[in-house]
Amino acid sequence: METEIFKGKNWTAKKVDTIYVVSVKDRSGIIDALTDFVNEQKIQSGEITGIGAVSEATLRFFVPSTKNYVDKTFHEQMEVSNISGNVSVLNDKPLLHLHITLGRQDYTALAGHLLDAKIRGAGEFIFYPLATKMVKVRDEEVGINFYDFEK
Ligand code: FE
């Protein structure tokens, strides 16, 4: 077993063999921190899971018929009961695709595509990188980024 510790501007990580445990600092933006992390570690594909707590979150809903995205920001303290997602490469830049389930104070849940959220409390993530690059390409007809496994 091989371990190594890394520090970024608003995250710290411990790498155990090929897997990273990542802690995102209180009051940091999740997307900002995780984008910095994948850039610093040159992660170009893999799986992400996470839990924690946030003080605000912006979710996005895709409407296929119009190719429109409807975004909504929730300003309240919420538990992150799950973040699941992946890393790929779009236009030579790392792309995080994350979905989130949020628990409100009344124990009901919100869920959706995660645009951004601010950690308030803990932000605990596990990254499972793949040893290759997964490329996505924008499909203008559908309005979605799809994997292109030939690239
Ligand atoms: Fe999505």
Side-chain angles (χ1 to χ4, degrees):
M1 187 185 65
E2 211 174 298
T3 66
E4 207 175 341
I5 293 169
F6 300 95
K7 284 185 174 62
K9 62 171 179 177
N10 45 12
W11 55 268
T12 53
K14 186 165 189 171
K15 189 178 186 187
V16 183
D17 292 332
T18 60
I19 298 167
Y20 293 85
V21 175
V22 182
S23 177
V24 173
K25 206 172 160 231
D26 185 32
R27 298 174 193 268
S28 304
I30 288 181
I31 302 299
D32 179 53
L34 297 185
T35 299
D36 186 64
F37 167 75
V38 295
N39 276 320
E40 288 294 315
Q41 295 302 309
K42 298 181 173 42
I43 296 171
Q44 295 189 302
S45 68
E47 188 197 0
I48 309 161
T49 69
I51 58 169
V54 298
S55 57
E56 58 176 74
T58 303
L59 307 184
R60 167 166 280 188
F61 190 86
F62 174 61
V63 184
S65 58
T66 58
K67 298 178 211 175
N68 277 339
Y69 300 106
V70 182
D71 300 341
K72 185 163 177 162
T73 302
F74 298 87
H75 298 275
E76 60 192 78
Q77 183 68 20
M78 293 172 283
E79 296 287 331
V80 177
S81 77
N82 186 55
I83 285 179
S84 56
N86 54 59
V87 190
S88 59
V89 174
L90 179 76
N91 299 328
D92 297 317
K93 284 193 208 113
L95 174 72
L96 291 164
H97 186 192
L98 304 176
H99 286 195
I100 191 166
T101 309
L102 294 159
R104 297 177 121 165
Q105 194 168 6
D106 66 358
Y107 305 107
T108 61
L110 290 171
H113 176 101
L114 178 63
L115 259 201
D116 207 359
K118 189 189 273 185
I119 295 289
R120 190 67 183 98
E124 304 173 347
F125 297 85
I126 302 184
F127 274 72
Y128 303 88
L130 292 169
T132 183
K133 160 166 107 165
M134 293 294 170
V135 175
K136 279 187 181 172
V137 175
R138 178 90 190 156
D139 184 320
E140 294 299 343
E141 203 171 308
V142 185
I144 293 275
N145 306 315
F146 287 126
Y147 281 121
D148 184 339
F149 295 127
E150 309 294 327
K151 296 202 172 192

